[in-house]
Amino acid sequence: MRTSFAHDVGKVFYLLLLTFVAFVPAFSYAQSYPEVMFIFDGSGSMWGDAGGKAKIESAKNVMAQIVPELAPEIRVGLVAYGHRRKGDCADIETLIHPGSTDRSKLLSSIQNIQPKGKTPLVDSLITVLEGLKHKENETTVILISDGIETCKDDPCSVVAALRKTGIKFVMHVVGFGVGMEGKIQLDCIAKAAGGTYFQANDAASLLEALLKISGE
């Protein structure tokens, strides 16, 4: 049976991502259409425990709830890393190209992710952000990661450099069960991307972050 603590973590993590999605129209209605791009952690550590349940299962459940709540005009995209091969820093896959309206494919793609490998954050971020360079509308990017870069150095500086090129994006980052080193790196990424970092390591801290976002 799922513990009360696990239930709280899953519930507030869901509310946190729902709040992110609520921000998308504010960023994008002035453009042709609002858009959100998810970067999903499929590294082996996603099998780790978070509140009595594997992080990958909690994340999948959250996404299964959040995607149907998206307003119909919001376009979507999805990149996953570490989900196909162990020890391969090139294991990055664009599962849904930016600007898609296919919600069913988005959901099925997420449900099919089976964590296996490393955390190539730098190349994943480059894949996503360079894919947005010709877009007129600003894209909201949501990175969900349970760890730090394991293939290259300094994803923070990479994001800052790409933002200076004029690519129109803002990125929020959820650190799911990360330690201090992970928090520092992921927080830096969010700041470099003009977004906010939220640490989802227990129900209390998730709720505190949600309250700060909602202004309650």
Side-chain angles (χ1 to χ4, degrees), residues 70-118:
L70 293 171
E73 64 271 18
I74 296 175
R75 308 282 182 95
V76 296
L78 172 68
V79 165
Y81 58 80
H83 62 296
R84 295 175 296 181
R85 298 178 295 275
K86 292 183 179 181
D88 185 356
C89 288
D91 186 9
I92 301 163
E93 184 178 13
T94 301
L95 296 168
I96 306 290
H97 287 279
S100 173
T101 59
D102 193 340
R103 306 297 176 79
S104 295
K105 185 177 180 182
L106 175 62
L107 285 171
S108 63
S109 295
I110 291 169
Q111 292 303 317
N112 288 333
I113 291 173
Q114 296 298 316
K116 292 182 176 67
K118 298 179 82 67

Side-chain angles (χ1 to χ4, degrees), residues 12-206:
V12 183
F13 186 45
Y14 162 67
L15 290 173
L16 174 60
L17 284 181
L18 188 60
T19 304
F20 280 151
V21 171
F23 282 170
V24 174
F27 286 125
S28 308
Y29 275 147
Q31 306 297 334
S32 56
Y33 53 81
E35 185 169 2
V36 60
M37 188 77 187
F38 292 99
I39 306 175
F40 197 93
D41 190 340
S43 64
S45 58
M46 284 291 283
W47 287 114
D49 180 84
K53 192 169 186 177
K55 284 182 273 189
I56 184 61
E57 297 303 328
S58 295
K60 285 181 178 182
N61 291 340
V62 166
M63 295 299 290
Q65 295 175 79
I66 212 120
V67 171
E69 298 295 328
L70 293 171
E73 64 271 18
I74 296 175
R75 308 282 182 95
V76 296
L78 172 68
V79 165
Y81 58 80
H83 62 296
R84 295 175 296 181
R85 298 178 295 275
K86 292 183 179 181
D88 185 356
C89 288
D91 186 9
I92 301 163
E93 184 178 13
T94 301
L95 296 168
I96 306 290
H97 287 279
S100 173
T101 59
D102 193 340
R103 306 297 176 79
S104 295
K105 185 177 180 182
L106 175 62
L107 285 171
S108 63
S109 295
I110 291 169
Q111 292 303 317
N112 288 333
I113 291 173
Q114 296 298 316
K116 292 182 176 67
K118 298 179 82 67
T119 306
L121 283 177
V122 167
D123 286 343
S124 296
L125 294 167
I126 290 172
T127 296
V128 170
L129 299 179
E130 288 194 343
L132 304 176
K133 65 171 57 174
H134 300 301
K135 286 186 170 287
E136 301 253 341
N137 54 306
E138 184 176 74
T139 300
T140 297
V141 181
I142 299 174
L143 167 63
I144 303 169
S145 179
D146 83 328
I148 63 171
E149 169 70 58
T150 57
C151 294
K152 293 185 177 180
D153 294 328
D154 200 6
C156 184
S157 64
V158 170
V159 171
L162 287 169
R163 191 167 171 81
K164 288 179 181 178
T165 67
I167 299 172
K168 296 178 181 178
F169 72 93
V170 61
M171 179 162 54
H172 303 293
V173 181
V174 179
F176 195 17
V178 301
M180 182 56 66
E181 186 180 7
K183 178 183 181 298
I184 291 171
Q185 185 177 90
L186 295 174
D187 179 61
C188 182
I189 291 171
K191 287 178 179 175
T196 305
Y197 171 75
F198 298 93
Q199 182 147 330
N201 54 331
D202 59 44
S205 58
L206 279 171

